[in-house]
Amino acid sequence: MLGPPVTGPKRIVVVDDEPHIRLLLGQILAPPDLEVHALEDPRDALMKLHDLAPDLIVCDVVMPAMDGRTFLQVVKRSQDLRDVPFIFLSAVTETRQVVQAYEVGADDYVEKPFHVARLMAKVRAVLRLAERRRADALTGMVRGEGTLALLKFCEDNHLTGRLTVSAPGQQRWAEFLGGEVVRAGTTPEEPDLDALDALLAMQDGAYRIEQRRLDRQGVEDALAQRREVPRDE
């Protein structure tokens, strides 16, 4: 039986090298609805994002350690983070620079200095949009039956999408096409373990089941991956 949904404040990761910006955002994006994790160095943020599992990232563009656009591009390469909404916060107002920010995948762009109410409105609008995107997701906690029951649920319901199970410092996942597993993996990677067996071994944690509408190329890729999976005689 599937557990109750996971609830709690929306988790926002702020990446900005200016201390007063981090302090201000920590004050205005406050509980109980919001929870802020403010980081100075984008390289440090990249190492912590999987554990933080943010609902939204707010990031400066011009930073000494790593450019914000480069940071976003790295985030988008992650299977687990690529759908996290992203707002740029920057004093750069040149039209070409703003357009480039949207082209690399930003959901919104707020100019510094900013009006607090305007920023809050944009944050809440982006979070609402993300919720609509996740309308087909089912979440809960792994119960006594473990992840085998979740895999069976995905199979019985002919899932096309992904099952992800998260525990502290660890995510294991399987992707399905029509209820059949086409790929499995772990974050961080565990090359000495079979990814599907590792998922089955999890007895606790939070799960997320996402229904995805695959485009033609996505279907072709999934079918190709399924053909490569060895089947028992």
Side-chain angles (χ1 to χ4, degrees), residues 10-222:
K10 296 297 183 183
R11 185 172 298 174
I12 302 175
V13 168
V14 172
V15 184
D16 199 303
D17 62 312
E18 298 182 63
H20 69 282
I21 294 294
R22 298 196 303 274
L23 178 62
L24 176 60
L25 294 186
Q27 291 172 340
I28 65 175
L29 304 174
D33 297 331
L34 305 172
E35 170 190 321
V36 169
H37 295 263
L39 301 165
E40 176 182 1
D41 191 328
R43 297 169 300 183
D44 183 35
L46 287 173
M47 292 188 290
K48 295 178 178 177
L49 279 179
H50 283 95
D51 289 338
L52 291 172
D55 296 292
L56 170 66
I57 297 171
V58 178
C59 181
D60 191 11
V61 173
V62 179
M63 295 178 286
M66 177 185 286
D67 179 87
R69 288 180 292 267
T70 302
F71 173 74
L72 173 55
Q73 289 172 328
V74 175
V75 170
K76 291 294 184 183
R77 293 184 200 133
S78 168
Q79 186 80 13
D80 299 308
L81 298 171
R82 65 185 181 186
D83 294 327
V84 175
F86 201 104
I87 295 177
F88 273 128
L89 188 66
S90 178
V92 177
T93 59
E94 183 184 347
T95 300
R96 181 177 60 86
Q97 299 281 357
V98 176
V99 170
Q100 286 178 351
Y102 283 108
E103 286 178 343
V104 296
D107 294 90
D108 211 331
Y109 192 101
V110 178
E111 297 177 4
K112 295 179 181 177
F114 55 86
H115 191 283
V116 169
R118 178 176 171 79
L119 175 63
M120 286 294 298
K122 284 180 172 286
V123 165
R124 294 193 182 280
V126 170
L127 286 172
R128 283 196 300 270
L129 179 59
E131 281 298 317
R132 288 197 290 271
R133 289 173 183 167
R134 290 196 291 260
D136 290 330
L138 179 64
T139 60
M141 301 302 296
V142 177
R143 299 303 182 186
E145 297 174 337
T147 53
L148 179 60
L150 294 171
L151 287 163
K152 185 69 165 56
F153 175 87
C154 296
E155 179 183 345
D156 292 345
N157 287 274
H158 306 287
L159 176 71
T160 295
R162 170 183 270 218
L163 163 66
T164 303
V165 180
S166 303
Q170 177 69 66
Q171 282 191 336
R172 294 170 178 171
W173 50 267
E175 291 186 342
F176 294 80
L177 179 64
E180 292 190 38
V181 175
V182 293
R183 185 170 60 170
T186 66
T187 306
E189 293 184 359
E190 299 173 285
D192 296 331
L193 288 177
D194 179 272
L196 189 56
D197 288 343
L199 175 61
L200 283 165
M202 296 186 75
Q203 295 299 314
D204 53 31
Y207 70 78
R208 181 180 184 85
I209 299 172
E210 297 173 275
Q211 180 77 33
R212 293 182 178 175
R213 297 174 177 84
L214 298 182
D215 56 18
R216 178 182 296 274
Q217 186 60 50
V219 171
E220 291 176 357
D221 291 345

